[in-house]
Amino acid sequence: NLRWDEPSFQELVDATIARLKDSDEEVFNLACEKLGMLENNNYFEELPAIISVSPNARKSRLFSLFCKKDLSRDDVSFILENDTQLGDAAQTCREQVARARRLKFIYE
């Protein structure tokens, strides 16, 4: 079993994230499923770039993954800029944006 702090775990996560760009729907779906199981979601820094070039049909699923992470100010801006593309992830993402604003931005 790999532990999250081992370099080979990071390599595995990076390889799985790269599959989010795969044109094969089965590969994409499997990558989403595996990444959705991660408890540490700070691996998702690359998702905005992937979301930006992904077909619209995939954006909702990608936003669902992205909105699981601890959102930064830039993440919140990205989500708000793409609000019309959130699809099924809209409620979760909007709740995470509100949470990030309550927890972080109040101190800045």
Side-chain angles (χ1 to χ4, degrees):
N1 257 354
L2 286 176
R3 289 194 355 237
W4 66 270
D5 56 346
E6 291 181 35
S8 49
F9 184 81
Q10 182 63 48
E11 291 170 18
L12 183 61
V13 170
D14 290 344
T16 306
I17 288 173
R19 301 288 73 82
L20 294 174
K21 299 181 224 171
D22 199 291
S23 60
D24 185 311
E25 260 338 279
E26 277 189 53
V27 172
F28 170 78
N29 287 329
L30 188 59
C32 286
E33 184 182 316
K34 297 300 178 192
L35 291 168
M37 293 181 208
L38 287 178
E39 289 184 27
N40 180 349
N41 300 304
N42 294 321
Y43 296 108
F44 296 164
E45 299 298 322
E46 295 174 55
L47 280 181
I50 294 170
I51 290 169
S52 296
V53 298
S54 291
N56 286 340
R58 291 184 172 187
K59 290 187 190 257
S60 175
R61 189 120 186 235
L62 291 168
F63 272 112
S64 290
L65 282 175
F66 185 64
C67 289
K68 287 177 66 176
K69 78 184 285 286
D70 192 20
L71 299 178
S72 68
R73 186 179 290 275
D74 288 341
D75 297 337
V76 167
S77 295
F78 178 74
I79 291 165
L80 294 176
E81 288 164 14
N82 291 281
D83 188 70
T84 59
Q85 298 180 336
L86 298 176
D88 293 340
Q91 182 177 347
T92 302
C93 287
R94 289 177 186 139
E95 287 170 2
Q96 286 297 87
V97 165
R99 180 179 175 274
R101 285 179 164 163
R102 272 195 320 273
L103 295 178
K104 292 182 180 170
F105 305 159
I106 195 166
Y107 299 110
E108 293 178 8

